[in-house]
Amino acid sequence: MYQEYAWKKYKEASLDKLTEFNEGYKNFITKCKTERLCVKESVELCEKAGFKNLDSMKELKPGDRVYAVNKNKNIAAFVIGDEPLTNGVAILGAHIDSPRIDLKQNPLYENDTLVYLDTHYYGGIIKYQWVTIPLALYGVVVKKDGTSVSIAIGDDPKDPVVGITDLLPHLAAEKMQKTAAKVIEGEGLDILIGSMPLEGEEKDPSKQAILKLLNEKYGITEEDFVSAEIEIVPAGAARDFGLDRSMVAGYGHDDRVCAYTSLMALLDTPKCKKTTCAVLVDKEEIGSVGATGASSVWFENTLAELINLREPYSDLKLRKSLTNSVMLSSDVSAAVDPLYPSVNERRNSAFLGKGICFNKYTGSRGKSGCNDAQPEFIAKLRAMMDENEIHYQTSELGKVDQGGGGTIAYILAKYNMNVIDAGVPVLSMHAPMEIVSKVDVYEAYLAYKTFLQNA
Ligand code: MN
Ligand code: MN
């Protein structure tokens, strides 16, 4: 069902399922505002669905359901299929890191009675969107003795929030002459967190008061920020959006909407011929680098473990397994925003409400740096989607030479597997409040299930 309004498919009874699924999704992104929290919640969902930690397995046989976690930021779940692993794995790969603002290693300072946290933003953000909104703090502080403290401030209704201030219009005449890229600068994204001085302190009394509070509540000192990972994210829950409640507004749709739908598709799919997998990676927004990013050998190593637990292991078997695998790089697409029609070429653009979007290629300036999917592979996907009445569309990221971007598709494609980007269209991508259509969320889930069963 190519490029049609997906809502038309839904009558009252099936609408209930769609709504219920989106409630689950809203709950997921409300609870999971960091990659660590996404992994924690995913482990819980896996265990509830009968998946076991791969470390606890002595052997693997068809029907076994297992998961593996990498450094608390990266998870892969598998359902072992009937065929040998050398026949390849059907993989759904999404990322669970989202654009945000990170603390610097030495972040705390006082200036003119106010206490701030100095930051370095993470991923591609339009900086002016992040000021004068309530923000929350999430993360971990790992102390020298190896113990770690989890921090979550700003989402419990009883919690305070923090945020970034901006000039009043009365005094902004000079500032308003700046370009949008310069109107809020990277070093201007400091988070205001306190203003009450500690009695008896001469130097930085308000900062001392915050340090006292942090020490009392979390047992941490200023130096402990050196080994901390604190992320500043929008405060508040994901909400229904629109008078008709047809959309979801929330933080982190890119790419938690594809992560959740991919994981749920795997959990809800019984044993197939091929082994099936959902892998959730970190660091996509900064180039998929690092030990927990898609470029890490962790996934390859995990697949090697799987082979080793099913049959006598060889390097050749691992290579065959990777080559014969197929993957949907489950990542979001930029939806057409009718308020900004000039950036898209409408015949090759994604629209809210027309289902999951396949991107044959991303890249920029002559498709540079992208995975350009094989037409043979795309034809199979078309057949699968049509046979199962899945609504799908295809798009490019904007007009030719308008801009561009990348995903994890090309990274897995280097193993010689067929990969294509497939995900949910998003409005206001990378903003503190992103918007998706509920029907696209549900169609993506159905499309991912269809892929796992038929790949
Ligand atoms: Mn993405
Ligand atoms: Mn992104």
Side-chain angles (χ1 to χ4, degrees):
M1 317 246 270
Y2 181 52
Q3 288 187 330
E4 287 170 36
Y5 282 73
W7 285 108
K8 284 185 184 165
K9 181 167 114 183
Y10 291 86
K11 305 281 173 300
E12 246 169 68
S14 51
L15 213 48
D16 285 350
K17 276 192 194 166
L18 179 155
T19 305
E20 195 190 317
F21 187 87
N22 276 280
E23 288 302 309
Y25 171 57
K26 283 191 292 180
N27 186 39
F28 182 83
I29 51 166
T30 298
K31 273 166 91 172
C32 304
K33 292 199 177 170
T34 66
E35 50 281 41
R36 281 173 189 264
L37 290 171
C38 285
V39 166
K40 189 167 170 262
E41 180 71 9
S42 299
V43 166
E44 276 173 34
L45 290 168
C46 281
E47 288 188 345
K48 241 184 253 168
F51 284 62
K52 296 202 179 94
N53 194 317
L54 185 62
D55 290 340
S56 70
M57 305 300 284
K58 300 261 179 301
E59 57 166 359
L60 288 174
K61 48 187 190 314
D64 280 345
R65 296 151 79 80
V66 292
Y67 70 88
V69 171
N70 181 27
K71 295 179 170 59
N72 299 317
K73 293 190 198 169
N74 198 186
I75 181 170
F78 299 86
V79 179
I80 307 301
D82 291 317
E83 295 178 359
L85 282 156
T86 43
N87 284 17
V89 178
I91 304 166
L92 298 168
H95 68 93
I96 45 176
D97 61 316
S98 295
R100 60 175 190 258
I101 301 171
D102 284 346
L103 294 196
K104 288 185 181 176
Q105 276 190 291
N106 183 17
L108 197 63
Y109 70 92
E110 176 171 339
N111 196 353
D112 293 337
T113 76
L114 303 177
V115 189
Y116 290 93
L117 290 169
D118 201 348
T119 66
H120 193 145
Y121 63 96
Y122 173 98
I125 62 169
I126 292 183
K127 298 180 193 86
Y128 64 71
Q129 295 173 340
W130 291 71
V131 301
T132 69
I133 57 168
L135 297 172
L137 280 128
Y138 279 95
V140 292
V141 182
V142 186
K143 293 190 269 186
K144 276 202 287 188
D145 65 4
T147 57
S148 104
V149 189
S150 293
I151 296 197
I153 306 168
D155 271 327
D156 187 309
K158 291 187 292 263
D159 280 352
V161 293
V162 294
I164 304 164
T165 56
D166 196 3
L167 267 185
L168 60 168
H170 319 62
L171 297 180
E174 200 178 312
K175 180 175 173 158
M176 295 303 282
Q177 303 309 311
K178 294 186 179 180
T179 60
K182 292 274 181 192
V183 72
I184 301 289
E185 303 215 43
E187 286 292 356
L189 293 174
D190 289 2
I191 314 292
L192 177 59
I193 60 161
S195 67
M196 198 196 295
L198 186 66
E199 225 183 273
E201 286 287 336
E202 287 293 308
K203 192 175 179 292
D204 296 342
S206 304
K207 173 181 159 179
Q208 293 309 324
I210 289 287
L211 279 170
K212 182 166 176 274
L213 184 155
L214 289 175
N215 191 261
E216 281 167 6
K217 195 161 178 208
Y218 301 104
I220 56 174
T221 64
E222 183 169 12
E223 228 179 82
D224 288 330
F225 278 114
V226 171
S227 49
E229 189 173 79
I230 311 277
E231 308 181 2
I232 311 296
V233 297
R239 307 274 295 269
D240 282 348
F241 191 86
L243 302 184
D244 56 4
R245 296 181 179 269
S246 61
M247 296 167 274
V248 177
Y251 162 67
H253 287 320
D254 178 9
D255 181 37
R256 292 170 190 149
V257 68
C258 298
Y260 182 75
T261 44
S262 293
L263 184 67
M264 292 315 284
L266 182 86
L267 301 189
D268 294 347
T269 303
K271 180 189 70 170
C272 299
K273 269 195 248 158
K274 264 197 169 65
T275 292
T276 51
C277 167
V279 57
L280 309 183
V281 296
D282 178 26
K283 300 280 185 279
E284 193 275 344
E285 297 294 355
I286 56 168
S288 295
V289 290
T292 53
S295 295
S296 162
V297 296
W298 176 75
F299 182 74
E300 187 183 330
N301 289 353
T302 305
L303 190 56
E305 299 266 9
L306 250 56
I307 295 171
N308 190 45
L309 289 169
R310 268 210 80 181
E311 54 191 300
Y313 176 80
S314 81
D315 183 54
L316 187 61
K317 282 182 186 167
L318 175 62
R319 286 162 190 262
K320 276 189 176 162
S321 181
L322 285 161
T323 280
N324 290 330
S325 290
V326 283
M327 180 167 109
L328 295 186
S329 160
S330 309
D331 206 346
V332 294
S333 289
V336 167
D337 185 337
L339 297 182
Y340 300 93
S342 67
V343 301
N344 293 105
E345 181 271 284
R346 293 172 56 84
R347 281 184 311 280
N348 291 281
S349 295
F351 296 88
L352 233 61
K354 290 190 173 180
I356 188 169
C357 181
F358 289 88
N359 291 65
K360 184 175 186 290
Y361 46 86
T362 55
S364 52
R365 295 171 302 282
K367 299 186 176 182
S368 180
C370 79
N371 163 65
D372 200 343
Q374 287 286 102
E376 290 86 349
F377 180 47
I378 301 173
K380 277 189 197 159
L381 294 169
R382 283 176 60 204
M384 263 181 229
M385 295 300 131
D386 282 340
E387 224 161 87
N388 292 279
E389 296 184 1
I390 307 293
H391 282 271
Y392 74 98
Q393 48 186 327
T394 54
S395 88
E396 291 198 24
L397 183 50
K399 275 182 183 167
V400 175
D401 289 341
Q402 186 72 42
T407 64
I408 65 168
Y410 77 96
I411 297 164
L412 280 295
K414 82 172 185 245
Y415 292 114
N416 194 31
M417 67 175 80
N418 271 318
V419 184
I420 188 168
D421 284 302
V424 174
V426 176
L427 284 171
S428 307
M429 196 193 293
H430 285 205
M433 183 184 83
E434 302 177 312
I435 293 160
V436 293
S437 160
K438 286 183 181 176
V439 77
D440 297 334
V441 173
Y442 196 61
E443 286 289 313
Y445 162 74
L446 296 177
Y448 293 148
K449 277 214 299 196
T450 297
F451 171 76
L452 292 176
Q453 282 163 26
N454 298 284

